[in-house]
Amino acid sequence: MLNIQGIHKSFGSLQVINNLSFEVKEGEFVAIIGPSGSGKSTLFQLIGGISTLDGGAILLDEEDIQLKRGTIGYMPQQPCLLPWRTILENVTIVEELQQQPHIEQAQAWLEKVGLAQFENAYPNALSGGMQQRVSFIRAIVSDKPILCLDEPFSALDEFTRLEMQAWLLSIWEQHRKSILFVTHNIEEALFLADRILVLTKRPATIKEEMIVPFERPRSEGIRHSAKFYALKQQLFNYLKEEKDDAYVD
């Protein structure tokens, strides 16, 4: 599936990523956490073909995708819905640009997520959580082999965020798309992912990898377990070490 092989990236004299390697397998949900400014968004720009590598390789199904756009499904921090387009038109915009709009598929997905009655509405008629569902469906309908989700719930209130995490898991359980998920929220990573990759401070490389031991399908109850709390504390300590190191001369 997705194979990141020893990649490097700098902007002038600022080295952002250094010898970063990992993979995402078919149907796997991988979360990335790390200190602020550690290069997580830059990584997605490289995977999405927006920025060029200084070294290493990014392979998708064994094909080099450096500077190739349109190879992944992407969901940003904000829904980024066009206010002058209806919900259905926003969902199909990627395919429309590729002259392959899948109207019926988009309508079927809106039905699945309870938004069919809003297909002719405009984004300002939807709540923040509903807009994020539309953004996610837009990424799914693009029918790419992997979805890259960049802190998609960070702007939501806590209750809506928890709702969206459960909703995302339910959709993912049904279809098992490969997902690479960036978040600052440790609990979110533990609840959603199969594996968690912890990045170092800039320049980013892999500090630790954690296999999440909870069985699927997952329930909210695991958040209150002693094991969940222990793993949360372990991940917190990894991040704290990086933050503390940043202040060492």
Side-chain angles (χ1 to χ4, degrees):
M1 177 52 71
L2 181 67
N3 196 342
I4 309 298
Q5 299 182 340
I7 64 172
H8 298 260
K9 180 63 181 178
S10 297
F11 295 98
S13 61
L14 180 65
Q15 189 176 21
V16 180
I17 295 175
N18 177 41
N19 195 29
L20 179 64
S21 298
F22 66 89
E23 65 176 345
V24 181
K25 301 184 180 74
E26 180 77 34
E28 190 177 27
F29 197 129
V30 176
I32 295 179
I33 62 175
S36 295
S38 61
K40 299 182 290 297
S41 294
T42 298
L43 172 62
F44 272 11
Q45 292 172 8
L46 293 168
I47 295 172
I50 298 173
S51 185
T52 184
L53 293 169
D54 294 334
I58 299 177
L59 307 179
L60 184 61
D61 291 331
E62 300 183 359
E63 177 187 355
D64 188 343
I65 60 169
Q66 183 177 180
L67 292 181
K68 289 186 178 180
R69 301 189 183 188
T71 59
I72 64 168
Y74 177 66
M75 182 177 174
Q77 296 180 24
Q78 301 292 335
C80 297
L81 304 181
L82 300 179
W84 59 88
R85 292 178 66 100
T86 67
I87 297 307
L88 181 60
E89 289 169 344
N90 268 285
V91 169
T92 58
I93 189 171
V94 176
E95 280 60 52
E96 185 179 319
L97 292 171
Q98 297 172 350
Q99 299 182 340
Q100 295 178 325
H102 299 142
I103 303 298
E104 292 183 357
Q105 183 184 13
Q107 289 174 320
W109 269 105
L110 289 173
E111 178 72 35
K112 285 180 184 179
V113 303
L115 293 177
Q117 68 270 37
F118 294 101
E119 70 172 55
N120 294 315
Y122 292 90
N124 63 2
L126 275 62
S127 68
M130 293 165 75
Q131 290 188 27
Q132 284 296 67
R133 294 186 188 201
V134 174
S135 180
F136 182 70
I137 296 307
R138 179 174 57 193
I140 284 186
V141 170
S142 67
D143 201 29
K144 305 304 180 186
I146 186 167
L147 302 180
C148 292
L149 280 54
D150 187 2
E151 298 189 69
F153 308 143
S154 61
L156 302 176
D157 64 81
E158 185 65 17
F159 183 77
T160 305
R161 183 175 189 140
L162 293 174
E163 276 191 334
M164 288 299 297
Q165 290 170 10
W167 176 83
L168 174 59
L169 265 192
S170 69
I171 296 295
W172 180 81
E173 290 284 359
Q174 295 174 42
H175 300 276
R176 293 292 176 127
K177 278 268 190 183
S178 299
I179 289 180
L180 185 60
F181 187 98
V182 164
T183 180
H184 277 98
N185 189 298
I186 295 173
E187 278 199 18
E188 186 168 74
L190 274 173
F191 183 66
L192 295 174
D194 296 309
R195 283 189 296 129
I196 299 172
L197 305 177
V198 183
L199 298 187
T200 64
K201 63 182 182 298
R202 188 175 61 234
T205 190
I206 300 296
K207 176 182 178 68
E208 298 286 347
E209 176 181 322
M210 176 182 286
I211 307 297
V212 180
F214 305 111
E215 295 182 354
R216 298 190 184 274
R218 291 180 185 163
S219 67
E220 290 289 336
I222 66 169
R223 296 181 191 268
H224 310 296
S225 68
K227 183 66 172 176
F228 191 93
Y229 179 80
L231 293 175
K232 178 182 174 181
Q233 189 62 42
Q234 186 176 343
L235 290 168
F236 176 82
N237 289 338
Y238 290 151
L239 294 178
K240 187 174 184 298
E241 289 170 1
E242 290 303 307
K243 184 176 180 181
D244 290 346
D245 286 349
Y247 295 98
V248 176
D249 291 331

Short mmCIF file of all heavy atoms in Angstrom, two decimals, residues 82-113:
data_model
loop_
_atom_site.label_atom_id
_atom_site.label_comp_id
_atom_site.label_asym_id
_atom_site.label_seq_id
_atom_site.Cartn_x
_atom_site.Cartn_y
_atom_site.Cartn_z
N LEU A 82 -17.41 24.55 -0.70
CA LEU A 82 -17.64 25.77 -1.46
C LEU A 82 -19.06 26.26 -1.17
O LEU A 82 -20.03 25.54 -1.42
CB LEU A 82 -17.46 25.51 -2.95
CG LEU A 82 -16.07 25.02 -3.36
CD1 LEU A 82 -16.01 24.77 -4.86
CD2 LEU A 82 -15.00 26.03 -2.95
N PRO A 83 -19.20 27.48 -0.64
CA PRO A 83 -20.52 27.94 -0.17
C PRO A 83 -21.54 28.13 -1.27
O PRO A 83 -22.74 28.13 -1.00
CB PRO A 83 -20.20 29.27 0.52
CG PRO A 83 -18.90 29.72 -0.08
CD PRO A 83 -18.14 28.47 -0.39
N TRP A 84 -21.10 28.28 -2.53
CA TRP A 84 -22.04 28.49 -3.63
C TRP A 84 -22.46 27.18 -4.31
O TRP A 84 -23.25 27.20 -5.25
CB TRP A 84 -21.43 29.44 -4.67
CG TRP A 84 -20.15 28.93 -5.27
CD1 TRP A 84 -20.01 28.12 -6.36
CD2 TRP A 84 -18.82 29.20 -4.80
NE1 TRP A 84 -18.68 27.86 -6.59
CE2 TRP A 84 -17.93 28.53 -5.67
CE3 TRP A 84 -18.31 29.97 -3.75
CZ2 TRP A 84 -16.55 28.58 -5.49
CZ3 TRP A 84 -16.95 30.03 -3.59
CH2 TRP A 84 -16.08 29.34 -4.45
N ARG A 85 -21.93 26.07 -3.81
CA ARG A 85 -22.31 24.76 -4.36
C ARG A 85 -23.16 24.00 -3.34
O ARG A 85 -22.91 24.09 -2.13
CB ARG A 85 -21.06 23.94 -4.72
CG ARG A 85 -20.27 24.50 -5.89
CD ARG A 85 -19.02 23.67 -6.16
NE ARG A 85 -19.34 22.32 -6.61
CZ ARG A 85 -19.32 21.94 -7.88
NH1 ARG A 85 -19.01 22.81 -8.83
NH2 ARG A 85 -19.59 20.70 -8.21
N THR A 86 -24.10 23.23 -3.84
CA THR A 86 -24.91 22.42 -2.94
C THR A 86 -24.07 21.32 -2.31
O THR A 86 -22.93 21.07 -2.73
CB THR A 86 -26.09 21.77 -3.69
OG1 THR A 86 -25.56 20.81 -4.63
CG2 THR A 86 -26.93 22.80 -4.42
N ILE A 87 -24.63 20.65 -1.31
CA ILE A 87 -23.90 19.55 -0.66
C ILE A 87 -23.55 18.47 -1.67
O ILE A 87 -22.41 17.98 -1.71
CB ILE A 87 -24.75 18.98 0.50
CG1 ILE A 87 -24.98 20.04 1.57
CG2 ILE A 87 -24.07 17.74 1.08
CD1 ILE A 87 -23.73 20.71 2.09
N LEU A 88 -24.49 18.08 -2.51
CA LEU A 88 -24.21 17.06 -3.53
C LEU A 88 -23.12 17.54 -4.48
O LEU A 88 -22.21 16.77 -4.83
CB LEU A 88 -25.48 16.73 -4.31
CG LEU A 88 -25.34 15.66 -5.40
CD1 LEU A 88 -24.88 14.33 -4.80
CD2 LEU A 88 -26.66 15.48 -6.15
N GLU A 89 -23.16 18.79 -4.89
CA GLU A 89 -22.15 19.33 -5.79
C GLU A 89 -20.78 19.40 -5.12
O GLU A 89 -19.75 19.20 -5.78
CB GLU A 89 -22.57 20.72 -6.27
CG GLU A 89 -23.75 20.69 -7.23
CD GLU A 89 -24.32 22.08 -7.50
OE1 GLU A 89 -24.02 23.01 -6.71
OE2 GLU A 89 -25.07 22.22 -8.48
N ASN A 90 -20.74 19.66 -3.82
CA ASN A 90 -19.47 19.65 -3.09
C ASN A 90 -18.89 18.24 -3.02
O ASN A 90 -17.68 18.06 -3.14
CB ASN A 90 -19.66 20.21 -1.68
CG ASN A 90 -19.40 21.71 -1.60
OD1 ASN A 90 -18.26 22.15 -1.63
ND2 ASN A 90 -20.47 22.48 -1.53
N VAL A 91 -19.74 17.25 -2.81
CA VAL A 91 -19.27 15.87 -2.70
C VAL A 91 -18.66 15.40 -4.01
O VAL A 91 -17.65 14.68 -4.02
CB VAL A 91 -20.42 14.93 -2.28
CG1 VAL A 91 -20.02 13.47 -2.44
CG2 VAL A 91 -20.84 15.20 -0.84
N THR A 92 -19.23 15.81 -5.12
CA THR A 92 -18.79 15.29 -6.42
C THR A 92 -17.76 16.17 -7.12
O THR A 92 -17.39 15.89 -8.26
CB THR A 92 -20.00 15.12 -7.36
OG1 THR A 92 -20.66 16.39 -7.51
CG2 THR A 92 -20.98 14.10 -6.80
N ILE A 93 -17.26 17.21 -6.45
CA ILE A 93 -16.41 18.17 -7.14
C ILE A 93 -15.11 17.55 -7.65
O ILE A 93 -14.63 17.89 -8.73
CB ILE A 93 -16.12 19.39 -6.24
CG1 ILE A 93 -15.42 20.48 -7.06
CG2 ILE A 93 -15.30 19.00 -5.02
CD1 ILE A 93 -15.30 21.80 -6.32
N VAL A 94 -14.52 16.63 -6.88
CA VAL A 94 -13.25 16.02 -7.32
C VAL A 94 -13.46 15.24 -8.61
O VAL A 94 -12.69 15.37 -9.58
CB VAL A 94 -12.67 15.10 -6.23
CG1 VAL A 94 -11.41 14.41 -6.73
CG2 VAL A 94 -12.36 15.92 -4.97
N GLU A 95 -14.53 14.44 -8.66
CA GLU A 95 -14.81 13.66 -9.86
C GLU A 95 -15.21 14.55 -11.02
O GLU A 95 -14.90 14.27 -12.17
CB GLU A 95 -15.93 12.63 -9.58
CG GLU A 95 -15.47 11.39 -8.85
CD GLU A 95 -14.86 11.72 -7.50
OE1 GLU A 95 -15.52 12.44 -6.72
OE2 GLU A 95 -13.73 11.30 -7.23
N GLU A 96 -15.88 15.65 -10.69
CA GLU A 96 -16.27 16.60 -11.74
C GLU A 96 -15.04 17.19 -12.41
O GLU A 96 -14.98 17.33 -13.64
CB GLU A 96 -17.13 17.70 -11.12
CG GLU A 96 -17.70 18.69 -12.13
CD GLU A 96 -18.56 19.73 -11.45
OE1 GLU A 96 -19.33 19.39 -10.53
OE2 GLU A 96 -18.47 20.91 -11.85
N LEU A 97 -14.02 17.52 -11.61
CA LEU A 97 -12.78 18.05 -12.16
C LEU A 97 -12.08 17.04 -13.05
O LEU A 97 -11.36 17.39 -13.98
CB LEU A 97 -11.86 18.51 -11.03
CG LEU A 97 -12.35 19.73 -10.23
CD1 LEU A 97 -11.46 19.95 -9.01
CD2 LEU A 97 -12.37 20.97 -11.11
N GLN A 98 -12.29 15.75 -12.73
CA GLN A 98 -11.70 14.67 -13.53
C GLN A 98 -12.65 14.19 -14.61
O GLN A 98 -12.39 13.21 -15.28
CB GLN A 98 -11.32 13.50 -12.61
CG GLN A 98 -10.26 13.87 -11.59
CD GLN A 98 -10.01 12.78 -10.56
OE1 GLN A 98 -10.75 11.79 -10.49
NE2 GLN A 98 -8.96 12.94 -9.77
N GLN A 99 -13.78 14.92 -14.76
CA GLN A 99 -14.81 14.61 -15.77
C GLN A 99 -15.38 13.22 -15.59
O GLN A 99 -15.75 12.55 -16.56
CB GLN A 99 -14.24 14.80 -17.18
CG GLN A 99 -13.78 16.22 -17.45
CD GLN A 99 -13.26 16.43 -18.86
OE1 GLN A 99 -12.88 15.47 -19.54
NE2 GLN A 99 -13.24 17.67 -19.30
N GLN A 100 -15.46 12.78 -14.31
CA GLN A 100 -16.06 11.48 -14.00
C GLN A 100 -16.97 11.58 -12.77
O GLN A 100 -16.76 10.88 -11.78
CB GLN A 100 -14.97 10.42 -13.75
CG GLN A 100 -14.12 10.11 -14.97
CD GLN A 100 -13.04 9.10 -14.62
OE1 GLN A 100 -12.49 9.08 -13.52
NE2 GLN A 100 -12.74 8.24 -15.58
N PRO A 101 -17.96 12.46 -12.79
CA PRO A 101 -18.83 12.62 -11.61
C PRO A 101 -19.66 11.36 -11.35
O PRO A 101 -20.27 10.80 -12.27
CB PRO A 101 -19.72 13.81 -11.99
CG PRO A 101 -19.72 13.84 -13.48
CD PRO A 101 -18.37 13.35 -13.91
N HIS A 102 -19.68 10.90 -10.11
CA HIS A 102 -20.44 9.71 -9.71
C HIS A 102 -21.62 10.18 -8.85
O HIS A 102 -21.60 10.07 -7.64
CB HIS A 102 -19.55 8.74 -8.94
CG HIS A 102 -18.38 8.24 -9.73
ND1 HIS A 102 -17.13 8.03 -9.18
CD2 HIS A 102 -18.27 7.91 -11.04
CE1 HIS A 102 -16.31 7.59 -10.12
NE2 HIS A 102 -16.97 7.51 -11.24
N ILE A 103 -22.64 10.70 -9.52
CA ILE A 103 -23.77 11.30 -8.82
C ILE A 103 -24.50 10.27 -7.97
O ILE A 103 -24.78 10.51 -6.78
CB ILE A 103 -24.76 11.94 -9.81
CG1 ILE A 103 -24.05 13.00 -10.67
CG2 ILE A 103 -25.94 12.55 -9.06
CD1 ILE A 103 -23.49 14.15 -9.88
N GLU A 104 -24.80 9.11 -8.53
CA GLU A 104 -25.57 8.10 -7.79
C GLU A 104 -24.78 7.58 -6.60
O GLU A 104 -25.35 7.34 -5.53
CB GLU A 104 -25.97 6.95 -8.73
CG GLU A 104 -26.97 7.36 -9.79
CD GLU A 104 -27.39 6.19 -10.65
OE1 GLU A 104 -26.85 5.07 -10.45
OE2 GLU A 104 -28.25 6.38 -11.55
N GLN A 105 -23.48 7.40 -6.76
CA GLN A 105 -22.65 6.95 -5.64
C GLN A 105 -22.64 7.99 -4.54
O GLN A 105 -22.74 7.67 -3.34
CB GLN A 105 -21.23 6.67 -6.11
CG GLN A 105 -20.32 6.11 -5.03
CD GLN A 105 -18.88 5.92 -5.48
OE1 GLN A 105 -18.49 6.41 -6.54
NE2 GLN A 105 -18.10 5.22 -4.69
N ALA A 106 -22.52 9.25 -4.91
CA ALA A 106 -22.52 10.33 -3.92
C ALA A 106 -23.85 10.38 -3.18
O ALA A 106 -23.90 10.55 -1.95
CB ALA A 106 -22.24 11.67 -4.60
N GLN A 107 -24.94 10.24 -3.90
CA GLN A 107 -26.27 10.25 -3.28
C GLN A 107 -26.42 9.07 -2.32
O GLN A 107 -27.01 9.20 -1.24
CB GLN A 107 -27.36 10.22 -4.35
CG GLN A 107 -27.47 11.51 -5.13
CD GLN A 107 -28.46 11.42 -6.28
OE1 GLN A 107 -28.53 10.40 -6.98
NE2 GLN A 107 -29.23 12.48 -6.50
N ALA A 108 -25.89 7.91 -2.72
CA ALA A 108 -25.98 6.73 -1.85
C ALA A 108 -25.21 6.96 -0.55
O ALA A 108 -25.68 6.57 0.53
CB ALA A 108 -25.43 5.50 -2.59
N TRP A 109 -24.05 7.59 -0.64
CA TRP A 109 -23.27 7.87 0.56
C TRP A 109 -23.96 8.88 1.46
O TRP A 109 -23.98 8.75 2.69
CB TRP A 109 -21.87 8.35 0.19
CG TRP A 109 -20.88 7.24 0.08
CD1 TRP A 109 -20.35 6.69 -1.04
CD2 TRP A 109 -20.32 6.51 1.17
NE1 TRP A 109 -19.50 5.67 -0.73
CE2 TRP A 109 -19.46 5.54 0.63
CE3 TRP A 109 -20.47 6.58 2.55
CZ2 TRP A 109 -18.74 4.65 1.41
CZ3 TRP A 109 -19.75 5.70 3.34
CH2 TRP A 109 -18.90 4.75 2.78
N LEU A 110 -24.54 9.91 0.88
CA LEU A 110 -25.27 10.89 1.68
C LEU A 110 -26.44 10.22 2.40
O LEU A 110 -26.77 10.56 3.54
CB LEU A 110 -25.76 12.04 0.80
CG LEU A 110 -24.67 12.99 0.29
CD1 LEU A 110 -25.24 13.97 -0.71
CD2 LEU A 110 -24.03 13.74 1.45
N GLU A 111 -27.06 9.26 1.74
CA GLU A 111 -28.13 8.50 2.38
C GLU A 111 -27.60 7.68 3.56
O GLU A 111 -28.20 7.65 4.64
CB GLU A 111 -28.78 7.56 1.35
CG GLU A 111 -29.89 6.68 1.89
CD GLU A 111 -31.15 7.45 2.20
OE1 GLU A 111 -31.46 8.41 1.47
OE2 GLU A 111 -31.84 7.08 3.18
N LYS A 112 -26.44 7.05 3.37
CA LYS A 112 -25.85 6.22 4.43
C LYS A 112 -25.54 7.03 5.68
O LYS A 112 -25.66 6.51 6.80
CB LYS A 112 -24.55 5.57 3.93
CG LYS A 112 -24.73 4.42 2.98
CD LYS A 112 -23.37 3.87 2.57
CE LYS A 112 -23.50 2.76 1.54
NZ LYS A 112 -22.17 2.24 1.13
N VAL A 113 -25.12 8.27 5.51
CA VAL A 113 -24.69 9.06 6.66
C VAL A 113 -25.78 10.01 7.14
O VAL A 113 -25.54 10.89 7.96
CB VAL A 113 -23.40 9.86 6.35
CG1 VAL A 113 -22.29 8.91 5.92
CG2 VAL A 113 -23.64 10.93 5.30
#
